[in-house]
């Protein structure tokens, strides 16, 4: 059974940094992309960043220049380095993996940015 476990969330003041990690406990065949989504209270889940199997990355406009996504294809790990955090970044961050067979989701990790 495949499980994605996020870690690295927490409370940080505006302008601070956090590094999120996502680890797959089981093997995933045919990964196409890995990414991070977030969901703030009363808002829909939105894509934050994604990285393809070819190491092409995408960022939503609100985090460009502040967040960096990276991955380890061999170990099925994905990271999100978040710098210059803003209160608007407060949300539960979810790891997502898209494979040839299906999509996988983690349980989420809370990121709270205080002003």
């Amino acid at each position: 059974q495949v499980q994605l476990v996020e870690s690295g969330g927490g409370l940080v003041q505006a302008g601070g940094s956090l590094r999120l990690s996502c680890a797959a406990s089981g093997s995933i065949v045919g990964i196409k992309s890995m990414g991070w989504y977030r969901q703030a209270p009363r808002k829909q889940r939105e894509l934050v960043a994604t990285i393809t199997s070819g190491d092409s990355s995408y960022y939503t406009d609100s985090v460009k220049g502040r967040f960096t996504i990276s991955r380890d294809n061999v170990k099925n790990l994905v990271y999100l380095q978040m710098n210059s955090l803003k209160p608007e970044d407060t949300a539960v961050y979810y790891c997502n993996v898209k494979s040839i067979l299906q999509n996988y989701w983690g349980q989420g990790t809370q990121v709270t940015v205080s002003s």
Side-chain angles (χ1 to χ4, degrees):
Q1 184 178 30
V2 174
Q3 290 185 327
L4 304 181
V5 180
E6 302 97 334
S7 62
L11 175 64
V12 65
Q13 294 188 30
S17 299
L18 287 173
R19 184 173 184 262
L20 305 183
S21 300
C22 174
S25 62
S27 63
I28 302 176
V29 178
I31 293 177
K32 296 167 63 178
S33 66
M34 305 179 76
W36 292 91
Y37 290 70
R38 67 186 180 187
Q39 186 167 20
R42 298 174 296 167
K43 290 188 176 181
Q44 292 184 303
R45 188 173 299 186
E46 66 172 345
L47 175 66
V48 177
T50 186
I51 184 167
T52 69
S53 59
D55 289 330
S56 297
S57 60
Y58 165 84
Y59 302 91
T60 191
D61 287 343
S62 63
V63 308
K64 287 182 178 178
R66 301 188 297 121
F67 292 9
T68 302
I69 189 171
S70 60
R71 67 184 296 186
D72 183 329
N73 291 337
V74 176
K75 298 182 178 180
N76 292 337
L77 300 174
V78 62
Y79 307 94
L80 186 67
Q81 178 66 46
M82 305 185 294
N83 299 325
S84 301
L85 283 163
K86 304 175 180 179
E88 306 92 88
D89 296 317
T90 295
V92 176
Y93 284 70
Y94 297 90
C95 178
N96 169 258
V97 176
K98 291 181 169 60
S99 73
I100 296 175
L101 299 179
Q102 65 180 67
N103 295 337
Y104 302 90
W105 292 92
Q107 309 81 220
T109 184
Q110 177 70 48
V111 172
T112 302
V113 184
S114 64
S115 59

